[in-house]
Every structure is written in structure tokens, then in C-alpha cells.
Amino acid sequence: MSAPASDTTPEARATARLARKKAVVDGKIAAASIERGVLLVNTGTGKGKSSAAFGVLARALGHGQHCAVVQFVKARSDTGESAFFQRQPEMAGHWHVMGEGFTWETQDPARDAAAARAAWQQACTYLTDGGTDLLILDEFTYALKYGWLTLDEVLPALQARPATQHVIITGRAAPEALLAVADTATDMHLLKHAFQAGIKAMPGLEY
């Protein structure tokens, strides 16, 4: 017996497809019942790794969560995100600019390593604090890339953090071992960048 003509129209087929998709999505949502802290890694050569993390920071603050940021490479404190978030009462004393700048600027590996270790010690105070809901380790992957910190000390600390604490790590060249323990990992791939065309970094967009 053939189907009624009304069921074979494009509109009817589209409605049926949407109904099937909704059933699949609803099933996945129902199956996701675990509530715990999540480790996110934003890596890759593209722009937006830190910006994405700070977007989540705004979201978490909007929910009244307790948050902290430790920046491992940035040395400047005049960035727009630093100015904005440090004006928020909830972030007072919890935004730490602890880098010495990029290695080609500092030309001092020993100083860079010392700064990274100091930043890691600061990070560890939050990784053991059950009252911190979200911790952002900005440009943290460089500390691993240049050997300032080791995976042997970092991974256990990340995995032993409070059960409900979220951590976001940003930076290029995230090592495979870090990606393996991450719950969510995003590779931001560069397609093109204004800097390649000679356009300087603009306030409000790049910093």
C-alpha cells in the first residue's frame, strides 16, 4: 500500500528528518548523566584560543562561579581582557599575569623557566582548592614545549584536582599526552591572519 501523498512532499520529508534527528539528540542528552569537572584544551595555530577561554570565563561568572586565571607567557597587564575582568569584583586577586613575554623577546631561558615555575605554583594553589570552579591556564602549553615544566608533574596535578573543577588550557602545540587526558580538545587551525598582510595588532581585537 503506497504512502499518502502528503507524506511524500518535501515538507513532510523534512519534518520526518527533523523528528528523527531530535530523537537521536534527545537520546544522547539523556545518556549524558555524569556531572564532574571537565578539562578543556584549546590548541592549534589559529587565533582565538585564549579568547574562547575568556568567553567561558564570562559565562561562568554569570553563573556566580568562582574563577581564576594564570597567564604563563603574557607579561603585559594592559590587555582588554585583563582590564575588563579585573574590574569584576569576583575576579579581584584571581587574575595572575606571571609570564616574562615570548622567548624571542626575553632572550633569557633561565628567567623564562623560573617565571613558568612560579606560575605553576600559583596554579597549584587553585588546583587544590575545592572552592575554585573554573581555572584558566593561559598559554600553558609553552611551558611544556620548552621544558620549563614536565608532564610527569603536570598531569597528576590536573587529574587530582577537585572533582567538580573545570580547567581550560590554551596554547599551541599541546602534547599528545595532554590531549589524551583532556575531556574536550579543540584544534584551532589558521586559514589566514591580518598580520600576514602587514596589519598591526589592534587594541580590542588582538589585545
Side-chain angles (χ1 to χ4, degrees):
M1 182 176 180
S2 60
S6 60
D7 292 342
T8 61
T9 64
E11 293 81 4
R13 291 196 296 272
T15 299
R17 283 196 301 271
L18 290 173
R20 290 193 297 271
K21 182 174 183 179
K22 176 174 170 52
V24 171
V25 173
D26 287 347
K28 291 181 178 180
I29 292 174
S33 58
I34 301 170
E35 292 187 12
R36 65 167 176 81
V38 174
L39 173 61
L40 300 91
V41 177
N42 295 342
T43 192
T45 59
K47 173 179 167 57
K49 297 178 288 292
S50 297
S51 300
F54 298 145
V56 176
L57 175 60
R59 179 179 293 163
L61 291 174
H63 283 287
Q65 295 182 356
H66 299 285
C67 308
V69 175
V70 180
Q71 296 187 291
F72 277 76
V73 173
K74 289 185 178 71
R76 60 190 303 168
S77 58
D78 63 341
T79 62
E81 59 267 25
S82 178
F84 174 78
F85 284 110
Q86 291 197 74
R87 288 199 297 265
Q88 312 309 310
E90 303 90 340
M91 290 300 295
H94 299 295
W95 186 288
H96 307 275
V97 181
M98 302 191 68
E100 293 286 349
F102 289 102
T103 53
W104 59 83
E105 295 172 337
T106 63
Q107 302 289 310
D108 191 338
R111 190 177 76 178
D112 294 335
R117 298 211 64 84
W120 175 240
Q121 290 302 312
Q122 178 62 68
C124 285
T125 66
Y126 291 112
L127 288 170
T128 56
D129 177 18
T132 300
D133 300 302
L134 171 66
L135 172 62
I136 295 175
L137 305 180
D138 188 35
E139 296 178 330
F140 179 69
T141 61
Y142 301 107
L144 299 171
K145 177 181 178 180
Y146 294 117
W148 303 332
L149 299 172
T150 69
L151 287 166
D152 287 341
E153 61 186 319
V154 165
L155 295 184
L158 291 172
Q159 294 173 310
R161 72 187 191 278
T164 59
Q165 185 183 90
H166 305 303
V167 175
I168 304 178
I169 290 174
T170 74
R172 297 187 180 199
E176 288 298 324
L178 178 61
L179 296 176
V181 302
D183 297 290
T184 299
T186 302
D187 184 353
M188 299 185 178
H189 182 65
L190 177 66
L191 296 178
K192 61 189 302 187
H193 197 294
F195 183 72
Q196 297 169 331
I199 301 174
K200 65 186 294 186
M202 305 297 291
L205 182 66
E206 299 287 348
Y207 65 92

